[in-house]
Structure formats: structure tokens, C-alpha cells
Amino acid sequence: PKAMRNGSAIAFFIAGLISLPLLSRIGFSFAPLMLLCLLCGIFYTGGKKPLGYLGLGELLVFTFYGPVATCLTVRTQLLFIPSEAWIASLAPGFLSCALLAINNIRDGDEDRKANKLTLVARFGKTFGRWEYASFLFISALVPLLLVLYGQPSSLLLIWALLPFAKEPLEIVFYHPENLNRALALTARLLALYTLLFYAALSV
């Protein structure tokens, strides 16, 4: 525990330092948001009442891996946040939540015993399975929404990844003994989605 605490403190300190030149570019009015990011990172699993143990995991993961990460990255480059960035942020946000959902399904029984009240621990594994499927479905809709919003139709190339969702979905619904593989496959899906998204906008 002591090594974990010290390592985490160093990581958060370095992250804070890295944020300073970025804040100088986008404006120090974003400093409270930077501080909130650090605090949520610390108290997600730290403190007497970790946020991740209260059923807030999906909300926090979506927020910070989706809109916050995406829109602030765009803000850093363009110095403003176009509407399309908010739409695009749904994909990394929900795909990251899909990873969390698998993790929570796998650990649901142990979490309940440890009073870690994730949404799956609260509402059951069937809820978690449909939650996972919903996250993938919404992420698949993002390219279409962006095209309808005037972005390049090449974004629809991301739909070539739909077959990659078949196996993890089958595992989540029918083969829970292989959830670790589903976790790896979903992480691969997130990585490929990101690469294709970038490639589609670079054509």
C-alpha cells in the first residue's frame, strides 16, 4: 500500500506539471476542471468512500475519457470547441465504459460481498450485459451522427469494425468464463476505432 500511494502521488504530481503549459494555452479558467480531474482520479478508488464503489464508475469514466479528454484536446489545438467534438467524444467515452462494464460483470459477485456497489453489483449481471451492448451500439452510431452533421463520409469506414464486436458480445452474453478475453477484445476494438477515426479524418 505504501508503494502504491507513493507511486500514485508521483504520477499525479507529474500529470499536474504537464497540465500547466496546456493551461497557459487554453486559459487558466480551466484550472478548476484540471483539479477536478486529479481529485476524481485520486478518489475513484481512494479514500474512505471511493467514488467507484458508489455506482458512479460509468458516469466518471464516460465524462473524463469522453467529453473532457476529447473536447479539451480539441480546445488545446483550435482554442475553441466545435459542436462536432462533443459528438465525437461519445465514442471514446462509451467504449471506455464498455471496458468497465466487462470488468464489473466479471467481478460482480466479489464486489457485492466487498460492498463495492457498482451498477452491476446493484442491478445484476443481466443489466451489465445490456449496458455493455448499449455502449457498443451508441459508439457505432457516432460516425453516422458526424456524417449527418457534415463531417466526411469516410468516417463510415469505422463500420468495418462491426464484425470485431461479435465475439466479445457473444462472450459477454453466453460465455462469461471468457470475460478476460472479452476485455482484451474490447480494448482492441477501442484502439482500432481510434486509428480508423483518425485515418478517416485524414483522408
Side-chain angles (χ1 to χ4, degrees):
K2 184 178 179 180
M4 185 67 183
R5 181 197 65 198
N6 294 340
S8 298
I10 292 171
F12 282 114
F13 178 73
I14 294 173
L17 289 180
I18 291 172
S19 73
L20 294 178
L22 299 176
L23 281 173
S24 69
R25 176 169 171 78
I26 67 175
F28 281 93
S29 60
F30 283 90
L33 180 57
M34 179 210 73
L35 181 61
L36 179 63
C37 291
L38 291 174
L39 290 175
C40 286
I42 293 169
F43 291 108
Y44 184 79
T45 53
K48 293 182 178 179
K49 290 187 176 181
L51 298 173
Y53 287 32
L54 301 177
L56 298 175
E58 284 83 352
L59 175 62
L60 293 172
V61 166
F62 172 78
T63 299
F64 291 105
Y65 283 81
V68 171
T70 303
C71 293
L72 287 189
T73 297
V74 173
R75 166 85 186 193
T76 303
Q77 298 176 67
L78 302 181
L79 298 182
F80 72 98
I81 304 174
S83 302
E84 299 92 319
W86 294 100
I87 299 173
S89 73
L90 298 176
F94 281 118
L95 285 173
S96 297
C97 284
L99 289 169
L100 178 64
I102 293 178
N103 188 70
N104 289 343
I105 294 170
R106 182 193 62 194
D107 300 339
D109 295 335
E110 292 79 7
D111 287 344
R112 197 176 295 107
K113 291 176 183 177
N115 204 32
K116 182 179 179 181
L117 299 179
T118 66
L119 293 184
V120 172
R122 289 173 183 267
F123 302 116
K125 293 184 179 181
T126 298
F127 170 87
R129 295 184 185 102
W130 285 106
E131 181 187 41
Y132 174 78
S134 298
F135 292 151
L136 294 190
F137 178 73
I138 296 171
S139 300
L141 287 181
V142 170
L144 177 61
L145 293 175
L146 287 169
V147 170
L148 293 175
Y149 208 82
Q151 293 301 300
S153 58
S154 55
L155 283 167
L156 296 179
L157 289 172
I158 293 173
W159 284 353
L161 296 176
L162 289 176
F164 288 84
K166 181 175 182 290
E167 185 179 355
L169 279 168
E170 288 179 344
I171 291 173
V172 166
F173 277 88
Y174 305 113
H175 303 287
E177 70 277 6
N178 294 328
L179 283 173
N180 283 337
R181 175 165 173 76
L183 194 64
L185 291 172
T186 305
R188 182 182 70 174
L189 186 63
L190 172 56
L192 292 174
Y193 191 112
T194 302
L195 290 172
L196 269 182
F197 194 99
Y198 171 77
L201 290 181
S202 302
V203 173

